[in-house]
Amino acid sequence: MSDPDRLLELIEEGVVEHGGDLAGWTRRFEDTLQLFDGRVTLHAVLKDAGPSSRDGVVHAHVMATLHEHDDEALDACLFGMGEDREAALEQAAVMWITCVAGPIKSFIDNEPVCMTCQAGVEGGDASEGYSQGDYGLSGLRAFVGPSISRGFQDGAVQLALDDTKPWFRFAAESAAPRRVHLAKATVVSEGGEGWRRELEIDGHDVSHQDPNWPAGVQGPGFGYLTRFAVFEFPRNSTEISRRAELERVIRYFAENFAKYESVDRLMEEMVRQGFDPDLVHETESVSTIAFGRTLFEGHGVQYSPTVILARRDGRIETDVPLMSIPAYARARALAAPLRKGMTNEEFEALCLYNAESRAILQAIKASGDELDLTHLKMYPSVVPDRGVNEKTMDAALAALDARVERDRLIPKKPWWKFWS
């Protein structure tokens, strides 16, 4: 029996043994498993667990197709560890049953079951599975599963990481243009260094790390908690169609970047073809930041997680998280598949277009190629709306200058600093 088949068999055995809210007939058919009276079909794939993996480690993806929701597929990334392959598969199966099955069953029943809660219910009774806190999934129908943990001796820490904490912040802004999604959040305690969050949406479609996650509580030297959530955009939401159009703009811009003598000519042609001018501008000013970071992040450059927005109506918004801007988040998700269809030269040209990347190249050139990029710390970029006036742009640049000056008054280790 193959590992994926064995994993599905273990999930089936566990669900049948659990019964209760997960009850219903099950059926194995070829390489799939039907659950919950045939309302959901599972398919499993095992991935490479990494260069340091051993036989007792498995990296699995279990896709759940929801037949009552346009056959949307929810991809759960699971790791299992044990003394041998069988034990690792057993742990991965237990993780799916404990953390993923409940949110999925709750979602299709529209009722929280198996230690799952519905998030963001005004006046909700948490003891009944209805949480007033939204876990960072504001305004969406969302069901959040229980967390599993390792390395925690003090239960008070886990209790403090409740529904008011932004477990799934930016998940909605990052999601692909579909209605239903599965998100995975892992929060890692690093003692005095604080907390780090790892967010994944729909398997590995979106992967994001927050180095300073606001847990609001001191954790152990090392420990982590992981939980999953199913969330849905409303049927009448215009965000899905807008995001689909945004992805079309990002793809066209990236795939045709090298074909034009200037970016201005490319943007003019895109508008002439009927692409939305605001989305074209947003792609040029924001999505290219994401592309550039894919080139240098692996070298340790310390990027700002925020930008300063200069709005067309004259407002200046400081410290806007980049992950809250779909043009950035979706460009990050699309970078890898886009790269496969481009030559190295074409992809590098795209990544080196934005001001951040040009500043890094200038720093490298100034140092004679001896710059340690881990010592490079970037200030937020100023990002203008299309058509912003000069007065507003000057005010945004003044806000950046004020931040630079404020930092100069704070004694600390010297850093290279560049901004746009």
Side-chain angles (χ1 to χ4, degrees), residues 295 339 342-353:
L295 198 61
R339 184 170 195 167
M342 303 168 70
T343 66
N344 288 337
E345 292 77 12
E346 289 172 341
F347 187 74
E348 285 187 4
L350 176 66
C351 292
L352 294 174
Y353 166 75

Side-chain angles (χ1 to χ4, degrees), residues 91 101 123 184 356 407:
Q91 189 179 84
K184 173 186 177 182
E356 284 185 340
D407 285 355

Side-chain angles (χ1 to χ4, degrees), residues 91-344:
Q91 189 179 84
V94 168
M95 187 174 185
W96 191 91
I97 296 166
T98 304
C99 299
V100 184
I104 289 177
K105 185 64 160 51
S106 299
F107 178 79
I108 62 178
D109 286 351
N110 198 31
E111 179 182 2
V113 300
C114 293
M115 297 183 293
T116 296
C117 68
Q118 184 169 0
V121 179
E122 185 175 355
D125 183 349
S127 66
E128 297 293 327
Y130 298 96
S131 295
Q132 296 191 59
D134 61 22
Y135 293 89
L137 293 166
S138 177
L140 301 171
R141 187 167 80 96
F143 291 89
V144 179
S147 65
I148 59 170
S149 64
R150 181 182 180 187
F152 290 88
Q153 302 300 323
D154 184 0
V157 175
Q158 293 166 273
L159 289 174
L161 302 177
D162 58 14
D163 57 3
T164 65
K165 299 298 187 293
W167 282 84
F168 298 98
R169 179 179 58 180
F170 308 139
E173 293 88 341
S174 306
R178 302 194 309 274
R179 279 188 58 212
V180 188
H181 300 272
L182 180 70
K184 173 186 177 182
T186 299
V187 294
V188 183
S189 173
E190 298 176 322
E193 298 297 317
W195 292 76
R196 167 172 52 88
R197 182 190 68 153
E198 299 174 359
L199 176 68
E200 295 180 352
I201 305 162
D202 300 325
H204 294 169
D205 180 59
V206 173
S207 297
H208 171 65
Q209 284 197 10
D210 286 321
N212 297 298
W213 188 71
V217 64
Q218 175 77 42
F222 176 78
Y224 67 84
L225 297 93
T226 297
R227 71 193 329 152
F228 290 79
V230 176
F231 66 91
E232 174 189 39
F233 288 105
R235 287 187 178 276
N236 60 351
S237 173
T238 59
E239 182 58 28
I240 298 175
S241 58
R242 184 186 187 280
R243 197 159 299 180
E245 179 61 15
L246 171 63
E247 290 207 3
R248 191 172 76 96
V249 173
I250 293 172
R251 287 181 180 278
Y252 189 95
F253 182 95
E255 291 168 350
N256 291 275
F257 181 85
K259 299 177 183 178
Y260 287 80
E261 60 190 39
S262 72
V263 172
D264 287 342
R265 290 292 302 274
L266 169 60
M267 296 172 67
E268 290 170 2
E269 176 60 22
M270 291 178 69
V271 173
R272 190 191 67 80
Q273 291 186 27
F275 288 97
D276 181 89
D278 284 332
L279 291 182
V280 172
H281 174 83
E282 198 171 357
T283 297
E284 183 271 338
S285 61
V286 177
S287 299
T288 55
I289 296 176
F291 293 137
R293 294 188 177 192
T294 65
L295 198 61
F296 290 107
E297 276 179 334
H299 297 283
V301 175
Q302 299 180 59
Y303 285 107
S304 170
T306 65
V307 291
I308 298 171
L309 297 183
R311 293 302 194 183
R312 195 157 44 210
D313 61 7
R315 290 178 296 120
I316 305 298
E317 297 181 17
T318 59
D319 294 324
V320 177
L322 271 165
M323 285 298 292
S324 70
I325 306 174
Y328 175 83
R330 291 312 302 161
R332 286 188 67 94
L334 294 171
L338 283 169
R339 184 170 195 167
K340 293 178 181 179
M342 303 168 70
T343 66
N344 288 337

